[in-house]
Amino acid sequence: MPQRTLRVLVGKPGLDGHDRGAKIIARAFRDAGFEVIYTGLHQTPEQIVTAAIQEDADCIALSILSGAHNTLLPAVSRLLQERSAADIVLFGGGVIPEDDIPGLKAAGICEVFTPGTSTDTIVQWVKDNVAPRP
Amino acid sequence: MSITTRKNIWTDGTVARNVAKAPERKEEFRTTSDIEMERCFTPDFELPGYEEKLGFPGEYPFTRGVQPTMYRGRFWTMRQYAGFGTAKESNERYKYLLQAGQTGLSVAFDLPTQMGYDSDAGMSRGEVGKVGVAIDSLADMEVLFDGIPLDKVSTSMTINSTAAILLAMYIAVAEKQGISSDKISGTIQNDILKEYMARGTYIYPPKPSMRIITDIFAYCKDQVPKWNTISISGYHIREAGSSAVQEVAFTLADGIAYVDAAIKAGLDVDEFAPRLTFFFNAHNNLLEEVAKFRAARRMWAKIMKERFKAKNPKSMMLRFHTQTAGCTLTAQQPDNNIMRVTIQALAAVLGGTQSLHTNSRDEALALPTEDSVRIALRTQQVLAYESGVADSIDPLAGSYLVESLTDQIEKAAFDYIDKIDNLGGAVEAISQGFQQKEIQDSAFAYQRAIETNDLVIVGVNKFTIQEPPPAGLLKVKEEVEIFQKQALAEVKAKRDNDKVKATLKKLEETAKGTDNLMPHILEAVKAYATLGEIADVFREVFGKHRETVVL
């Protein structure tokens, strides 16, 4: 039986209004054949996790440029665990200083993409690291 | 009448009157070879259409500039956008910038302040003091401008949904310094339409948002006459990915919507239009950018004169601030960004900007450090004092290329404005997602062009090197949030809570009716009602906006 299509939830946590990156990546995911759910702006970690669970997402891609990544990305990771959904692969991108990345990875964010990354690189990473959840 | 005759009339009239009030920087301007730089070069032959299309600086259609002497009188205002952490830290950065030769302030607020949340709100988690300074109440604003005489500086505030509240706080701080509101000058961004379209810090739906804006126009024309009540912004539209043409078109279409709304609210066009200002982006394509600024000026002059029947020439002048393009800065080899910023700043100056922010080399990585901000400011100073481009007005006029691009940008942008008119105007078009879709398509095409190497970004997809991760970036301390919450709790404990309640009640009643909101916001602010409390009143009465997501 062929594998079903990957479902990706693209989220904008916090108050950050910069959605150019989120929308470009959403479109690149769609063009790569994934099913894409985009949350829109101003989402709390709770809203993002709830949406991911309800929509049966295989992974969550968070875009953040506001500097609140050290608070908001781990909060999403924690909530996924609390709701027994830690198998949803969590990753993100944005203006995130190199120094912060080890801490984020330790908190359960599988990968962090910084400015200048091509959409092809990100799409390939998803293909290599995310499988449809059972 | 020949161009030379017209030029003499301009020199003896418009220029002479201006120079009598404000002399030029030098008696005469000369090159290194002792060639005189004329104030404004013009064709020495008859050129059909010259007068209608270009005219003279300070005169309709303002293609060549809004002031008669431009930078020969005074350079553009060098205004670096800054603010982070607590009010005290930002206050120190402002004093540093003023001392380094900056001539105006530009305040960056953190996202909770921009979105109407206090620092202790759940939505503010992790965001306090990050992208700008945190302001919860008048107490923070008093610290922010401590020791800065508000009648001596002009202050630009990047604030939109909550602009009325921050303006009220600024007026209140000035009053405490003994300065009445007719003496203060500055700008609030106050441009909600581009928030729905590109920048994202909207709170209420369009209709009540437009009412708040027209209330500000009406209040300021009497009470704060030197204040620029709006900065209609293409900057963020461009940052979101638009082309130069789309930037001009969508910005001017927003301008049309504000003028329409104010006229519908009963204001006379010439009462408020002279206080409208604009804000544009400056990208790398130097000549296209110069043409863009010139086209925008001519278009706005025509729109105000022909569409809105303005009589006062000041209503027709497109005065604008420029910021170099944050989205062109690269995280790779960040020092290359200094060159990008130089080209972009040059475009703004050749295009006749009134004020300029130059971005710092490290902005693709973090908030800029003090060293980076100094280089950015020095870039402007080198352009102003050393390059000579400020010695003659609109120096690229008459270039076949620049005039052709100016005409073509104007035409393409007017075509877009017609489309938007046909959709029912900017507000309606935004609610249908028209501009958003156009912007996203451009952004996606740009990204693809980089990835397919059709577009070379030096240091990103060509001329790359292995480099160590950047060091010495600015870090905003996480303690800001804790500090800010404590300070807020103290304010709430010390203030007269009955008075706060009464002013908020009055504000709620006004919001439900049609009276001008500004005096009541000012009363609430003076009673130390917080930004979040005031925004909550409006959220309750006006509701919250939901975006139209188009992918």
Side-chain angles (χ1 to χ4, degrees), chain B residues 272-509:
Chain B
F272 65 88
R275 299 319 305 176
L276 306 179
T277 62
F278 289 82
F279 174 21
F280 290 111
N281 207 309
H283 261 244
N284 286 332
N285 194 323
L286 180 75
L287 300 172
E288 181 184 36
E289 292 301 294
V290 175
K292 175 188 82 180
F293 297 126
R294 300 173 83 245
R297 261 197 304 273
R298 185 160 72 203
M299 290 174 71
W300 188 245
K302 285 184 190 168
I303 290 167
M304 292 310 289
K305 189 175 183 174
E306 291 165 14
R307 182 169 178 149
F308 292 112
K309 313 289 176 227
K311 302 263 178 328
N312 184 350
K314 286 199 161 69
S315 301
M316 307 170 201
M317 287 181 192
L318 180 138
R319 296 175 296 134
F320 66 100
H321 173 69
T322 307
Q323 179 168 336
T324 57
C327 67
T328 64
L329 303 182
T330 63
Q332 294 73 20
Q333 304 177 46
D335 284 349
N336 295 347
N337 293 325
I338 297 172
M339 278 72 84
R340 296 190 176 98
V341 168
T342 306
I343 295 167
Q344 296 163 3
L346 179 61
V349 170
L350 293 173
T353 194
Q354 275 56 64
S355 58
L356 178 61
H357 166 103
T358 32
N359 286 56
S360 297
R361 59 181 164 171
D362 44 3
E363 287 181 38
L365 301 158
L367 287 184
T369 62
E370 220 158 75
D371 279 348
S372 303
V373 172
R374 191 178 53 243
I375 295 171
L377 178 59
R378 293 290 180 257
T379 305
Q380 296 198 38
Q381 291 163 337
V382 168
L383 280 175
Y385 291 94
E386 298 182 20
S387 76
V389 293
D391 291 350
S392 183
I393 301 166
D394 190 27
L396 297 191
S399 148
Y400 299 122
L401 182 155
V402 170
E403 295 301 351
S404 172
L405 284 187
T406 305
D407 292 350
Q408 292 186 60
I409 291 173
E410 175 178 0
K411 179 168 184 319
F414 268 131
D415 285 348
Y416 260 123
I417 291 175
D418 284 345
K419 260 187 217 161
I420 292 170
D421 281 341
N422 289 335
L423 290 171
V427 181
E428 185 50 38
I430 289 168
S431 73
Q432 295 172 23
F434 171 73
Q435 293 96 321
Q436 295 93 311
K437 181 79 170 62
E438 291 286 318
I439 295 167
Q440 277 160 233
D441 287 347
S442 296
F444 194 70
Y446 179 83
Q447 179 66 25
R448 287 310 301 171
I450 294 172
E451 297 188 3
T452 53
N453 288 321
D454 282 346
L455 202 63
V456 170
I457 309 290
V458 174
V460 175
N461 59 0
K462 205 175 173 112
F463 314 114
T464 55
I465 52 168
Q466 285 296 322
E467 52 186 333
L473 299 177
L474 183 94
K475 273 202 102 82
V476 177
K477 298 183 206 84
E478 300 289 337
E479 296 90 274
V480 172
E481 190 164 327
I482 301 162
F483 173 88
Q484 201 62 30
K485 283 182 184 168
Q486 278 168 354
L488 178 59
E490 279 165 34
V491 166
K492 284 187 178 170
K494 274 203 320 219
R495 65 185 187 179
D496 177 346
N497 279 305
D498 290 335
K499 194 170 170 199
V500 171
K501 245 185 227 155
T503 59
L504 290 176
K505 184 84 197 119
K506 182 74 200 153
L507 190 60
E508 187 189 333
E509 286 162 17

Side-chain angles (χ1 to χ4, degrees), chain A residues 15 20 41-42 66 100 119, chain B residues 127 200 239 441 451 475 547:
Chain A
L15 300 176
R20 178 175 179 168
L41 296 174
H42 311 149
S66 71
D100 291 346
T119 55
Chain B
E127 313 267 21
E239 285 293 296
D441 287 347
E451 297 188 3
K475 273 202 102 82
E547 73 179 301

